[in-house]
Protein backbone atom coordinates (compact mmCIF):
# COMPACT_ATOMS: atom_id res chain seq x y z
CA UNK A 1 0.00 0.00 0.00
CA UNK A 2 1.33 3.43 -0.97
CA UNK A 3 1.20 5.95 1.86
CA UNK A 4 0.99 9.73 1.52
CA UNK A 5 2.61 12.68 3.23
CA UNK A 6 1.36 16.29 3.53
CA UNK A 7 3.12 18.66 1.12
CA UNK A 8 3.78 21.46 3.58
CA UNK A 9 0.61 23.47 4.19
CA UNK A 10 -0.76 23.12 0.65
CA UNK A 11 -3.54 20.75 1.63
CA UNK A 12 -2.18 18.18 -0.82
CA UNK A 13 -1.18 14.77 0.52
CA UNK A 14 1.25 13.22 -1.93
CA UNK A 15 2.70 9.76 -2.35
CA UNK A 16 6.34 9.32 -1.34
CA UNK A 17 7.29 8.90 -5.00
CA UNK A 18 6.02 10.90 -7.95
CA UNK A 19 6.47 10.42 -11.69
CA UNK A 20 9.14 12.67 -13.23
CA UNK A 21 8.68 13.38 -16.93
CA UNK A 22 12.03 14.84 -18.00
CA UNK A 23 13.23 11.51 -19.42
CA UNK A 24 10.14 11.12 -21.63
CA UNK A 25 10.58 14.54 -23.23
CA UNK A 26 12.01 13.20 -26.48
CA UNK A 27 14.96 14.23 -28.67
CA UNK A 28 15.63 17.39 -30.62
CA UNK A 29 16.49 19.75 -27.78
CA UNK A 30 19.60 20.58 -25.76
CA UNK A 31 18.92 18.45 -22.68
CA UNK A 32 17.10 15.46 -24.12
CA UNK A 33 17.70 11.82 -23.20
CA UNK A 34 17.77 10.51 -26.75
CA UNK A 35 14.94 8.95 -28.72
CA UNK A 36 11.76 7.98 -26.90
CA UNK A 37 8.49 6.33 -27.88
CA UNK A 38 5.50 8.54 -27.07
CA UNK A 39 3.11 5.61 -26.72
CA UNK A 40 5.49 3.93 -24.25
CA UNK A 41 5.87 7.21 -22.37
CA UNK A 42 2.12 7.68 -21.97
CA UNK A 43 1.81 4.03 -20.94
CA UNK A 44 4.52 4.53 -18.30
CA UNK A 45 2.72 7.54 -16.83
CA UNK A 46 -0.60 5.70 -16.76
CA UNK A 47 1.04 2.64 -15.20
CA UNK A 48 2.48 4.81 -12.43
CA UNK A 49 -0.95 6.34 -11.78
CA UNK A 50 -2.57 2.91 -11.83
CA UNK A 51 0.03 1.70 -9.34
CA UNK A 52 -0.95 4.42 -6.87
CA UNK A 53 1.36 7.36 -7.66
CA UNK A 54 -0.74 10.50 -7.20
CA UNK A 55 1.48 13.26 -8.63
CA UNK A 56 3.42 14.02 -11.78
CA UNK A 57 6.25 16.52 -12.06
CA UNK A 58 7.03 18.11 -15.41
CA UNK A 59 8.27 21.43 -16.82
CA UNK A 60 7.51 23.57 -19.83
CA UNK A 61 11.09 23.27 -21.07
CA UNK A 62 11.16 19.45 -21.07
CA UNK A 63 11.09 18.59 -24.74
CA UNK A 64 10.19 22.25 -25.39
CA UNK A 65 6.59 21.62 -24.38
CA UNK A 66 6.44 17.98 -25.45
CA UNK A 67 6.62 16.50 -21.96
CA UNK A 68 3.65 18.59 -20.81
CA UNK A 69 1.70 17.48 -23.87
CA UNK A 70 2.38 13.82 -23.03
CA UNK A 71 1.28 14.36 -19.44
CA UNK A 72 -1.87 15.97 -20.77
CA UNK A 73 -2.56 12.94 -22.97
CA UNK A 74 -1.90 10.54 -20.09
CA UNK A 75 -4.38 12.20 -17.74
CA UNK A 76 -7.03 13.11 -20.32
CA UNK A 77 -10.35 11.45 -19.59
CA UNK A 78 -9.56 10.56 -16.00
CA UNK A 79 -12.25 11.26 -13.45
CA UNK A 80 -11.49 14.02 -10.95
CA UNK A 81 -10.95 11.45 -8.20
CA UNK A 82 -8.52 9.56 -10.45
CA UNK A 83 -6.48 12.50 -11.70
CA UNK A 84 -3.06 12.92 -10.14
CA UNK A 85 -1.75 16.25 -8.93
CA UNK A 86 0.17 17.95 -11.72
CA UNK A 87 3.27 19.99 -10.89
CA UNK A 88 5.14 21.99 -13.52
CA UNK A 89 7.76 24.71 -13.78
CA UNK A 90 8.41 28.01 -15.54
CA UNK A 91 11.41 30.22 -16.17
CA UNK A 92 13.44 28.39 -18.82
CA UNK A 93 12.58 30.00 -22.14
CA UNK A 94 13.73 28.52 -25.43
CA UNK A 95 14.15 29.83 -28.97
CA UNK A 96 11.81 27.87 -31.30
CA UNK A 97 14.11 28.74 -34.21
CA UNK A 98 17.09 27.12 -32.47
CA UNK A 99 15.86 24.22 -30.31
CA UNK A 100 19.38 22.97 -29.66
CA UNK A 101 20.39 26.23 -28.00
CA UNK A 102 20.42 26.28 -24.22
CA UNK A 103 17.21 27.86 -22.87
CA UNK A 104 17.49 31.19 -21.06
CA UNK A 105 16.58 31.74 -17.44
CA UNK A 106 13.81 34.35 -17.70
CA UNK A 107 11.12 35.16 -15.12
CA UNK A 108 9.81 38.50 -16.38
CA UNK A 109 6.14 38.86 -15.36
CA UNK A 110 4.82 39.00 -18.93
CA UNK A 111 6.87 35.93 -19.85
CA UNK A 112 5.59 34.00 -16.81
CA UNK A 113 2.00 34.84 -17.70
CA UNK A 114 2.54 33.52 -21.22
CA UNK A 115 4.16 30.38 -19.83
CA UNK A 116 1.37 29.56 -17.40
CA UNK A 117 -1.28 29.86 -20.12
CA UNK A 118 0.78 27.66 -22.45
CA UNK A 119 1.26 25.06 -19.72
CA UNK A 120 -2.44 25.02 -18.85
CA UNK A 121 -3.25 24.45 -22.53
CA UNK A 122 -0.69 21.67 -23.06
CA UNK A 123 -1.66 19.90 -19.84
CA UNK A 124 -5.38 20.26 -20.52
CA UNK A 125 -6.13 21.41 -16.96
CA UNK A 126 -7.88 24.46 -15.52
CA UNK A 127 -5.45 24.90 -12.64
CA UNK A 128 -1.87 23.79 -12.00
CA UNK A 129 -1.51 22.14 -8.60
CA UNK A 130 2.06 23.30 -7.97
CA UNK A 131 3.76 25.93 -10.13
CA UNK A 132 7.49 26.28 -9.58
CA UNK A 133 10.28 28.60 -10.64
CA UNK A 134 12.77 26.31 -12.35
CA UNK A 135 15.91 28.36 -11.61
CA UNK A 136 16.74 31.84 -10.32
CA UNK A 137 16.41 34.38 -13.13
CA UNK A 138 19.81 35.38 -14.50
CA UNK A 139 18.69 36.48 -17.95
CA UNK A 140 21.40 34.22 -19.32
CA UNK A 141 21.37 30.81 -21.00
CA UNK A 142 21.28 27.67 -18.90
CA UNK A 143 24.16 25.31 -19.42
CA UNK A 144 23.52 22.20 -17.35
CA UNK A 145 24.92 22.63 -13.86
CA UNK A 146 23.32 20.92 -10.90
CA UNK A 147 23.30 24.02 -8.73
CA UNK A 148 22.09 26.37 -11.46
CA UNK A 149 25.17 28.56 -11.22
CA UNK A 150 26.11 30.98 -13.96
CA UNK A 151 26.56 34.63 -14.91
CA UNK A 152 23.84 37.19 -14.22
CA UNK A 153 22.68 39.69 -16.84
CA UNK A 154 21.87 43.30 -15.91
CA UNK A 155 18.43 42.53 -17.39
CA UNK A 156 17.72 39.71 -14.93
CA UNK A 157 14.42 39.94 -13.08
CA UNK A 158 14.89 40.39 -9.31
CA UNK A 159 13.52 37.59 -7.12
CA UNK A 160 11.20 40.03 -5.36
CA UNK A 161 9.50 40.78 -8.67
CA UNK A 162 9.19 37.26 -10.02
CA UNK A 163 8.07 35.75 -6.73
CA UNK A 164 5.34 38.37 -6.52
CA UNK A 165 3.98 37.34 -9.92
CA UNK A 166 3.93 33.74 -8.73
CA UNK A 167 1.95 34.83 -5.65
CA UNK A 168 -0.42 36.75 -7.94
CA UNK A 169 -1.07 33.64 -10.03
CA UNK A 170 -1.95 31.75 -6.87
CA UNK A 171 -4.31 34.50 -5.72
CA UNK A 172 -5.96 34.49 -9.15
CA UNK A 173 -6.57 30.73 -8.98
CA UNK A 174 -4.36 29.87 -11.95
CA UNK A 175 -2.27 27.70 -9.62
CA UNK A 176 -2.98 26.07 -6.29
CA UNK A 177 0.49 26.32 -4.74
CA UNK A 178 3.83 27.92 -5.64
CA UNK A 179 7.36 26.69 -5.22
CA UNK A 180 11.02 27.33 -5.92
CA UNK A 181 13.43 24.87 -7.51
CA UNK A 182 17.22 25.22 -7.32
CA UNK A 183 17.07 28.24 -4.99
CA UNK A 184 19.55 28.63 -2.14
CA UNK A 185 18.47 29.29 1.48
CA UNK A 186 19.29 33.02 1.23
CA UNK A 187 16.98 33.32 -1.79
CA UNK A 188 14.32 31.32 0.01
CA UNK A 189 14.54 33.76 2.92
CA UNK A 190 13.93 36.67 0.55
CA UNK A 191 10.98 34.94 -1.10
CA UNK A 192 9.37 34.02 2.21
CA UNK A 193 9.13 37.72 3.12
CA UNK A 194 6.93 38.27 0.05
CA UNK A 195 4.77 35.14 0.05
CA UNK A 196 5.01 31.76 1.70
CA UNK A 197 7.14 29.25 -0.19
CA UNK A 198 4.75 26.29 -0.41
CA UNK A 199 7.37 23.85 -1.71
CA UNK A 200 10.98 23.59 -2.79
CA UNK A 201 12.47 21.24 -5.35
CA UNK A 202 16.23 20.69 -4.99
CA UNK A 203 18.39 17.96 -6.51
CA UNK A 204 19.16 15.36 -3.87
CA UNK A 205 20.60 11.86 -3.88
CA UNK A 206 23.23 9.78 -2.13
CA UNK A 207 25.61 11.17 -4.78
CA UNK A 208 24.50 14.81 -4.84
CA UNK A 209 23.91 15.84 -1.22
CA UNK A 210 24.51 19.56 -1.68
CA UNK A 211 20.88 20.59 -0.98
CA UNK A 212 20.86 19.62 2.70
CA UNK A 213 20.69 23.32 3.60
CA UNK A 214 17.60 23.92 1.44
CA UNK A 215 15.88 20.90 2.96
CA UNK A 216 16.65 22.12 6.49
CA UNK A 217 15.30 25.57 5.58
CA UNK A 218 12.05 24.03 4.34
CA UNK A 219 11.63 21.96 7.47
CA UNK A 220 11.98 25.08 9.62
CA UNK A 221 9.41 27.01 7.57
CA UNK A 222 6.66 24.41 7.11
CA UNK A 223 7.52 24.08 3.43
CA UNK A 224 7.11 20.87 1.44
CA UNK A 225 10.14 19.30 -0.22
CA UNK A 226 10.09 17.22 -3.40
CA UNK A 227 13.60 16.19 -4.37
CA UNK A 228 14.62 15.49 -7.94
CA UNK A 229 17.17 13.05 -9.37
CA UNK A 230 17.19 10.72 -6.31
CA UNK A 231 18.63 8.07 -8.64
CA UNK A 232 21.13 10.56 -10.08
CA UNK A 233 19.77 10.16 -13.61
CA UNK A 234 19.99 6.38 -13.54
CA UNK A 235 23.34 5.90 -11.79
CA UNK A 236 21.75 4.54 -8.59
CA UNK A 237 19.29 2.14 -10.20
CA UNK A 238 21.64 -0.81 -9.78
CA UNK A 239 21.33 -1.49 -13.51
CA UNK A 240 23.74 1.16 -14.81
CA UNK A 241 27.30 0.23 -15.82
CA UNK A 242 30.40 1.62 -17.46
CA UNK A 243 29.37 -0.26 -20.61
CA UNK A 244 25.99 1.44 -20.59
CA UNK A 245 27.65 4.86 -20.17
CA UNK A 246 29.87 4.16 -23.15
CA UNK A 247 26.90 3.40 -25.39
CA UNK A 248 24.69 6.38 -24.53
CA UNK A 249 23.52 8.06 -27.75
CA UNK A 250 25.18 11.32 -28.72
CA UNK A 251 21.95 13.26 -28.12
CA UNK A 252 21.70 12.12 -24.50
CA UNK A 253 22.81 15.00 -22.23
CA UNK A 254 24.50 12.57 -19.85
CA UNK A 255 27.34 11.88 -22.29
CA UNK A 256 28.95 15.23 -21.40
CA UNK A 257 28.21 15.32 -17.67
CA UNK A 258 30.95 14.60 -15.13
CA UNK A 259 28.75 12.14 -13.21
CA UNK A 260 28.91 9.87 -16.26
CA UNK A 261 32.54 10.54 -17.18
CA UNK A 262 35.19 11.45 -14.61
CA UNK A 263 32.91 10.67 -11.66
CA UNK A 264 31.43 7.47 -13.07
CA UNK A 265 33.64 4.94 -11.25
CA UNK A 266 32.96 6.43 -7.80
CA UNK A 267 29.23 6.63 -8.49
CA UNK A 268 29.04 2.99 -9.58
CA UNK A 269 30.98 1.92 -6.48
CA UNK A 270 28.31 3.57 -4.36
CA UNK A 271 25.49 1.92 -6.29
CA UNK A 272 27.11 -1.49 -5.78
CA UNK A 273 27.47 -0.81 -2.05
CA UNK A 274 23.67 -0.41 -1.76
CA UNK A 275 23.07 -4.03 -2.85
CA UNK A 276 23.49 -5.66 0.57
CA UNK A 277 20.99 -3.23 2.10
CA UNK A 278 18.57 -3.88 -0.77
CA UNK A 279 18.84 -7.65 -0.27
CA UNK A 280 18.12 -7.36 3.46
CA UNK A 281 15.10 -5.15 2.85
CA UNK A 282 13.72 -7.22 -0.03
CA UNK A 283 13.93 -4.17 -2.25
CA UNK A 284 15.69 -3.07 -5.42
CA UNK A 285 18.84 -0.96 -5.32
CA UNK A 286 16.80 1.89 -6.81
CA UNK A 287 14.22 1.66 -4.03
CA UNK A 288 16.93 1.80 -1.37
CA UNK A 289 18.55 4.83 -3.03
CA UNK A 290 15.18 6.62 -3.10
CA UNK A 291 14.34 5.52 0.45
CA UNK A 292 17.61 7.13 1.60
CA UNK A 293 16.38 10.51 0.35
CA UNK A 294 12.95 9.95 1.92
CA UNK A 295 14.60 9.22 5.28
CA UNK A 296 16.05 12.73 5.32
CA UNK A 297 14.11 14.92 7.81
CA UNK A 298 11.97 17.41 5.91
CA UNK A 299 11.72 15.52 2.61
CA UNK A 300 8.11 14.97 1.53
CA UNK A 301 8.55 13.05 -1.70
CA UNK A 302 10.96 12.10 -4.45
CA UNK A 303 10.58 12.58 -8.21
CA UNK A 304 11.53 9.46 -10.14
CA UNK A 305 11.57 9.15 -13.92
CA UNK A 306 10.74 6.27 -16.22
CA UNK A 307 10.43 5.83 -19.95
CA UNK A 308 8.68 2.45 -19.81
CA UNK A 309 6.09 0.90 -17.52
CA UNK A 310 8.47 -1.84 -16.34
CA UNK A 311 10.89 0.82 -15.10
CA UNK A 312 8.17 2.14 -12.80
CA UNK A 313 7.97 -1.30 -11.19
CA UNK A 314 11.63 -0.99 -10.25
CA UNK A 315 11.04 1.95 -7.89
CA UNK A 316 7.35 2.00 -7.01
CA UNK A 317 7.94 0.40 -3.60
CA UNK A 318 10.50 2.94 -2.36
CA UNK A 319 8.06 4.60 0.00
CA UNK A 320 7.53 1.32 1.85
CA UNK A 321 11.24 0.65 2.43
CA UNK A 322 12.07 1.33 6.08
CA UNK A 323 15.80 1.95 6.52
CA UNK A 324 17.06 1.29 10.03
CA UNK A 325 19.73 3.39 11.78
CA UNK A 326 22.15 0.55 11.02
CA UNK A 327 21.22 0.71 7.32
CA UNK A 328 21.78 4.46 7.29
CA UNK A 329 25.16 4.03 8.99
CA UNK A 330 26.15 1.42 6.39
CA UNK A 331 25.09 3.68 3.52
CA UNK A 332 26.94 6.64 5.06
CA UNK A 333 30.09 4.55 5.27
CA UNK A 334 29.64 3.50 1.65
CA UNK A 335 29.21 7.11 0.55
CA UNK A 336 32.42 8.10 2.31
CA UNK A 337 34.36 5.12 0.97
CA UNK A 338 33.17 5.60 -2.60
CA UNK A 339 34.26 9.22 -2.81
CA UNK A 340 31.03 10.02 -4.67
CA UNK A 341 29.70 13.57 -4.47
CA UNK A 342 29.84 16.02 -1.61
CA UNK A 343 27.72 16.91 1.39
CA UNK A 344 26.56 15.15 4.57
CA UNK A 345 26.38 11.37 4.26
CA UNK A 346 23.69 10.70 6.83
CA UNK A 347 20.37 12.29 7.89
Amino acid sequence: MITTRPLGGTGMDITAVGFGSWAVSGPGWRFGWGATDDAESVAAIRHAIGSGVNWIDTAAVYGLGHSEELVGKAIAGLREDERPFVFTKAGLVWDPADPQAAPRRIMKPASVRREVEDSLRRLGVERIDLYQVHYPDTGESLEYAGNGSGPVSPNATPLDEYWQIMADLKAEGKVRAIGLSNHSPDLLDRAEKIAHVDAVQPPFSAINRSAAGEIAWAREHGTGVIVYSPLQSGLLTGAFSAERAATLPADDWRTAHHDFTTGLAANLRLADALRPVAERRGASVAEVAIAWTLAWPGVTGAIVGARRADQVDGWIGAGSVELTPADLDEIAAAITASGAGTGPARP
Side-chain angles (χ1 to χ4, degrees):
M1 178 178 179
I2 297 182
T3 58
T4 60
R5 304 176 177 189
L7 183 64
T10 65
M12 290 182 278
D13 291 338
I14 66 171
T15 48
V17 288
F19 189 95
S21 66
W22 179 16
V24 302
S25 58
W29 68 296
R30 185 63 166 267
F31 300 118
W33 296 60
T36 55
D37 181 290
D38 285 355
E40 281 191 340
S41 299
V42 170
I45 296 170
R46 289 177 175 166
H47 181 63
I49 296 168
S51 300
V53 170
N54 78 345
W55 56 288
I56 300 171
D57 182 82
T58 185
V61 76
Y62 296 161
L64 311 186
H66 189 58
S67 174
E68 287 187 333
E69 290 172 348
L70 289 177
V71 172
K73 289 179 181 179
I75 66 175
L78 293 179
R79 299 191 314 266
E80 186 63 27
D81 63 339
E82 296 175 322
R83 189 181 75 80
F85 298 120
V86 177
F87 306 161
T88 192
K89 298 179 281 295
L92 292 183
V93 178
W94 63 91
D95 179 0
D98 189 4
Q100 286 295 337
R104 293 174 62 204
R105 293 160 60 172
I106 298 174
M107 281 294 296
K108 293 186 180 302
S111 179
V112 175
R113 287 197 173 273
R114 285 193 299 271
E115 284 207 69
V116 74
E117 295 299 336
D118 286 343
S119 289
L120 288 166
R121 172 181 51 79
R122 288 189 290 256
L123 293 165
V125 298
E126 295 182 357
R127 181 180 68 171
I128 292 165
D129 294 301
L130 173 63
Y131 202 41
Q132 303 156 96
V133 181
H134 212 146
Y135 280 95
D137 185 334
T138 62
E140 297 289 345
S141 67
L142 173 76
E143 292 294 344
Y144 185 85
N147 63 2
S149 59
V152 177
S153 164
N155 295 321
T157 307
L159 180 142
D160 300 23
E161 187 174 339
Y162 68 72
W163 190 238
Q164 183 61 59
I165 195 66
M166 295 289 283
D168 292 346
L169 292 175
K170 181 179 176 180
E172 294 164 15
K174 296 282 187 182
V175 304
R176 179 174 179 176
I178 52 177
L180 292 166
S181 180
N182 301 299
H183 281 61
S184 61
D186 62 316
L187 293 178
L188 297 175
D189 277 333
R190 285 174 54 191
E192 187 70 10
K193 293 175 182 177
I194 299 163
H196 181 53
V197 180
D198 292 319
V200 298
Q201 184 183 141
F204 197 60
S205 74
I207 292 173
N208 181 3
R209 307 175 300 280
S210 60
E214 295 170 51
I215 296 169
W217 184 96
R219 189 182 184 201
E220 293 169 1
H221 290 80
T223 292
V225 179
I226 52 174
V227 299
Y228 73 85
S229 294
L231 297 178
Q232 205 64 25
S233 303
L235 286 168
L236 295 176
T237 60
F240 208 86
S241 65
E243 291 73 24
R244 170 74 177 124
T247 59
L248 289 172
D251 57 353
D252 189 318
W253 67 270
R254 293 175 292 180
T255 58
H257 195 273
H258 64 83
D259 278 342
F260 294 84
T261 53
T262 56
L264 181 63
N267 294 335
L268 293 181
R269 281 196 298 272
L270 176 54
D272 284 340
L274 299 180
R275 294 185 191 281
V277 179
E279 290 172 3
R280 287 198 303 273
R281 298 290 153 238
S284 67
V285 170
E287 287 169 336
V288 167
I290 298 164
W292 182 88
T293 68
L294 295 171
W296 209 272
V299 171
T300 313
I303 302 164
V304 195
R307 291 196 270 189
R308 302 186 312 272
D310 63 290
Q311 293 175 331
V312 173
D313 295 333
W315 50 256
I316 193 68
S320 300
V321 176
E322 295 288 343
L323 297 177
T324 67
D327 293 333
L328 293 172
D329 286 341
E330 183 175 334
I331 294 171
I335 289 171
T336 301
S338 71
T342 60
R346 196 189 190 292

